[in-house]
Amino acid sequence: MNKLMKKIMISVVLTGVAFALYQNFSLMPEYQGLNEGLSNYIIKSGLNDTGSLNLITAVLYDYRAFDSLGESTVIFGAVSGIVLILSRKMLPVSSKGLSFIVKRALGIMTPFIALFGFYVITHGHLTPGGGFQGGVILAAISIIFSIVYGSAFDYRRYSPQTKTLFETGGALTFLGLGLAGILMEGAFLQNLGFLTAETGTLISAGSIPYINIGVGFKVGAGLAIIFYSMIQKTFEEDF
Amino acid sequence: MAVLEIILVIFLVFSALMAVYFDEELISIIFLSIFSLVLTALYLLHKAADVALAEAVIGAGLNTAIFMSAISQIRHGDSD
Amino acid sequence: MTLRLIISYFLMITGSAFAIVTVLGLLRFPDVYTRIHAGAVVLTISAVLVTMGTAIYVWDLFLSAKIVLIGIFFLFSNPMATHAIARASYKRQIALPEEYEIDAYSDYLGRDA
C-alpha cells in the first residue's frame, strides 16, 4: 500500500514536470538565422533587451540564467559533500588569534570590506562584478574572523545555522524569481517586465539585481561553510 | 602593450612551472597565488574586468586560505 | 599638458621608483626581518603615491574618492600584515641571529594573546 502510494506520487510529480517542460519548450521561438553571430546580437541589443549596462551580467543572469542556476547547484553540492565528510560533531576550538594590533586594525577594516562586498553585489548590473564575486568577498569576512579572532568568535557571531539559513534563502530567492518568471512572463527565469526602470539607476534592469543578491548570499554563505568546516580543529597554535 | 603582454605570459608560465617544481606545499601555494595575480593582470589587459575580479578574489584570496587550512590538516594528521 | 597632469605623473613616477627600491631591498637584504622592513616601509609609500597620482589623474569626485579609499586601505593593511609576519617568524625563531645583547620584544610577547 505504502509502495503503491509512493509510486503514484512519483508518477504524478513526473507528469507535472513533463507537462511544464512541454509547455516551456512549446514557447521557444522558431530558429531564426543569426547571420551576424550571437555576440554581435548581444552587443547590439543587449541593453534594450535587459536594461543592464554590464553586458556580462546581462548574459549571466538573463540570457543564460539557467546555466547560472546550474552553477549554484554545483556549489550547493560541493558544500553538502564537504560538510558531510569533514564535520566531526565537536565544539569549535581554535587559536586565540593573532596579536592585538592585527585584531584592532581588522576591527576597523572589516565593515569596509563588508561594504565593498555589498557594493559589488548590488551594482552588478552597472559596473563589473556581480553575485559570485561579491559573495566571495563576503565569505572573506568569515575567513578573517576564523583566522584572526579564532573560529570560536566566528561560531558565536555567525553560527553555521545562520549561514545555512543565508544559503538556502539565496537559493530560494533565485528559484522564486524563476517561478515568478513563469507566472508573469511565461518562461522560466524570464526577466520581469514590471521591474524595469530608467537605465543606469540602481533599481533597474528587471529581476537581475535581485538574482544578484540571491546568488551573492548563496555563494558567500556556502564558501564560508566550506572554510569553517575545514578549519574547525586545525589552527590550534597561536602566532 | 605587446611587450607587457609577452612579459606577463612568460611570468605566468614561470610561476606555473615553479608551482609544480617545488616539493614543499607552502611554496607551491604561494606560487599558485602569484599565478592568479599575473592572470588577473592579463585579463585586465584584455579589458575583461568581470573575469579579472573573479580571478583575483577566488584565485588569490579564497584558494590560498582553503589550501593553507588543507595542508595544516595534513600536517596534524598521524597518517605518515 | 596642464599642471594637474604634471603633478599626477610626478607622483606616479616617484611611486614607481619606490617600488623599484622595494624590489632591490627584497633581493639584497640578508635575512627575513630586514626584507620585511623593505617591504613594509617602502612598498606602503609607493602604493600610496601611485594611488594619489591616479586620483589626481582621473579628477572626478566619486572616482577620486574611491581611489583615495584604496590608498587608505593600503596604509592600514600593509604594515599590519608585515607585523603579523614578523611576529610569527619571531615566535617560530626563524633566522634569529646567533648572539645578541638586547631582546626587547620578548617582554611583549605574552601580554596581548
Side-chain angles (χ1 to χ4, degrees), chain A residues 166-179 210-211 213-215:
Chain A
F166 274 138
E167 192 189 6
T168 47
L172 282 179
T173 310
F174 203 158
L175 281 176
L177 282 166
L179 291 179
Y210 308 104
I211 294 180
I213 292 172
V215 171

Side-chain angles (χ1 to χ4, degrees), chain A residues 52-233:
Chain A
S52 157
L53 279 178
N54 186 9
L55 283 179
I56 298 165
T57 315
V59 173
L60 274 179
Y61 300 117
D62 190 343
Y63 290 113
R64 302 280 182 268
F66 200 66
D67 294 353
S68 299
L69 186 62
E71 286 174 27
S72 33
T73 315
V74 167
I75 290 180
F76 179 73
V79 171
S80 309
I82 287 178
V83 168
L84 199 67
I85 292 173
L86 287 181
S87 78
R88 300 178 201 145
K89 294 278 177 61
M90 55 174 65
L91 276 177
V93 180
S94 179
S95 68
K96 285 176 285 188
L98 296 164
S99 69
F100 173 75
I101 298 173
V102 183
K103 282 179 182 173
R104 192 61 249 164
L106 274 173
I108 294 172
M109 280 188 336
T110 307
F112 291 98
I113 297 174
L115 184 67
F116 181 60
F118 284 120
Y119 174 84
V120 170
I121 288 176
T122 52
H123 285 69
H125 57 293
L126 302 175
T127 54
F132 277 101
Q133 291 95 334
V136 180
I137 295 172
L138 287 186
I141 296 174
S142 180
I143 293 175
I144 286 172
F145 281 169
S146 294
I147 292 178
V148 175
Y149 301 98
S151 68
F153 183 83
D154 188 42
Y155 183 84
R156 264 185 275 119
R157 274 299 171 89
Y158 303 106
S159 65
Q161 283 81 21
T162 319
K163 286 169 189 162
T164 314
L165 204 67
F166 274 138
E167 192 189 6
T168 47
L172 282 179
T173 310
F174 203 158
L175 281 176
L177 282 166
L179 291 179
I182 286 187
L183 288 180
M184 290 178 173
E185 304 284 334
F188 189 62
L189 281 167
Q190 180 100 16
N191 206 340
L192 298 175
F194 76 99
L195 284 171
T196 49
E198 189 187 352
T199 310
T201 51
L202 184 58
I203 299 175
S204 64
S207 57
I208 290 177
Y210 308 104
I211 294 180
N212 260 329
I213 292 172
V215 171
F217 274 110
K218 179 176 167 38
V219 171
L223 294 177
I225 289 172
I226 286 180
F227 188 77
Y228 178 76
S229 56
M230 286 186 78
I231 207 177
Q232 266 183 0
K233 280 287 285 182

